[in-house]
Amino acid sequence: MNKRYVIGNWKLHGSLSKVATFSQQLRMAPATDVVVAIAPPYPYLGACADLPSGCGLAGQDCSAHNSGAHTGEVSASMLSEWGCQWVIVGHSERRTDLAESDQLIVAKLSAAISAGLTPLLCVGESLTVRESGQEEAAVRAQLQAALSDIPPASLLIAYEPIWAIGTGVTASPEQADAMHAVIRNELTGLMDDGASVPLLYGGSVNPDNAGALFDCPHVDGALVGGASLDGTSFSEIVEAAQASLRQ
Ligand code: PEP
């Protein structure tokens, strides 16, 4: 795939002043084949509209509902109104902390597509599952649960091993590439255009390890948590993505 994706997930971090600092630090090369976006907490979406051009916006989550009596929820169409093109669905922190079920994730994928957003579906195994050698089966099962019934018309996938998220322990390029090959294989069975779905790796990506990950044949980009909070680090990861395309 002759394109790279670098999407930053700010989780529950940031402030209006940090958005302004990030905006000053962010270096965006004009018109490259690297798609760049930030998923800030909802209240900062408006302020993030002033980020340098070429940096898009993503939601960190969306409701399965479009409107109604659902206090605290934010719909995919609201995210679209604020300029989001993508929305993260099924992040492991939500699957764990908020007990998001496969059924709910399917409903959120459908809500995102109906609102014209491209979902970024997160999958990934726990440390216990990897240590038991069941990681491929676990990730295949997550993909089947999310995509078997109604595969979204457009989609990104992020492979995020839970043991690598926020831990400083990154999957090796070999581990990431091997799982991405498994995901590609599963997607081609589940979707007509499964061969062209961009596959991002997430889990402690930083400026030092990004280049080796982007050089993997099956890795099309990164979902970046901690290192996306600093505009300089995030820019270096974007530049590593650009460099991997020039090779
Ligand atoms: C994430 O939560 O999506 C993530 C990849 O976090 P980090 O880069 O901090 O591991």
Side-chain angles (χ1 to χ4, degrees):
M1 187 170 299
N2 217 14
K3 206 167 185 178
R4 293 279 183 271
Y5 293 76
V6 180
I7 300 186
N9 174 15
W10 283 2
K11 311 190 190 195
L12 186 55
H13 296 290
S15 63
L16 283 176
S17 69
K18 284 193 173 151
V19 172
T21 307
F22 180 89
S23 187
Q24 284 160 4
Q25 293 170 329
L26 186 61
R27 301 186 295 264
M28 290 293 304
T32 70
D33 280 333
V34 181
V35 176
V36 180
I38 286 291
Y42 301 136
Y44 304 135
L45 280 169
C48 283
D50 294 332
L51 289 178
S53 79
C55 181
L57 287 178
Q60 291 185 15
D61 179 51
C62 67
S63 175
H65 306 281
N66 195 41
S67 64
H70 307 288
T71 302
E73 293 268 76
V74 170
S75 73
S77 58
M78 292 171 185
L79 294 174
S80 175
E81 280 189 308
W82 278 104
C84 293
Q85 288 175 261
W86 303 272
V87 59
I88 299 169
V89 174
H91 193 283
S92 61
E93 286 156 10
R94 296 193 65 87
R95 290 181 192 254
T96 305
D97 301 352
L98 298 159
E100 288 204 354
S101 65
D102 289 329
Q103 196 183 14
L104 181 60
I105 287 164
V106 169
K108 289 185 176 193
L109 291 174
S110 167
I113 291 293
S114 300
L117 299 183
T118 297
L120 170 48
L121 172 68
C122 297
V123 295
E125 80 285 358
S126 67
L127 185 58
T128 314
V129 168
R130 180 158 280 264
E131 285 177 346
S132 67
Q134 296 301 305
E135 66 273 15
E136 290 187 9
V139 169
R140 282 187 191 274
Q142 286 176 322
L143 292 169
Q144 289 159 12
L147 304 173
S148 287
D149 288 344
I150 323 165
S154 73
L155 179 69
L156 307 177
I157 300 277
Y159 167 55
E160 298 207 308
I162 296 168
W163 46 271
I165 296 180
T167 58
V169 180
T170 318
S172 67
E174 294 74 22
Q175 286 172 317
D177 202 48
M179 185 61 87
H180 281 220
V182 168
I183 293 171
R184 177 70 69 213
N185 173 274
E186 187 65 36
L187 287 179
T188 51
L190 287 168
M191 305 171 65
D192 289 342
D193 49 3
S196 60
V197 173
L199 305 183
L200 284 59
Y201 167 79
S204 297
V205 175
N206 61 42
D208 294 332
N209 59 31
L213 289 160
F214 292 142
D215 286 344
C216 295
H218 299 99
V219 174
D220 304 312
L223 179 56
V224 185
S228 72
L229 295 169
D230 178 85
T232 304
S233 300
F234 190 65
S235 301
E236 288 171 12
I237 295 170
V238 172
E239 285 157 7
Q242 286 159 353
S244 74
L245 282 173
R246 281 197 294 270
Q247 286 175 9

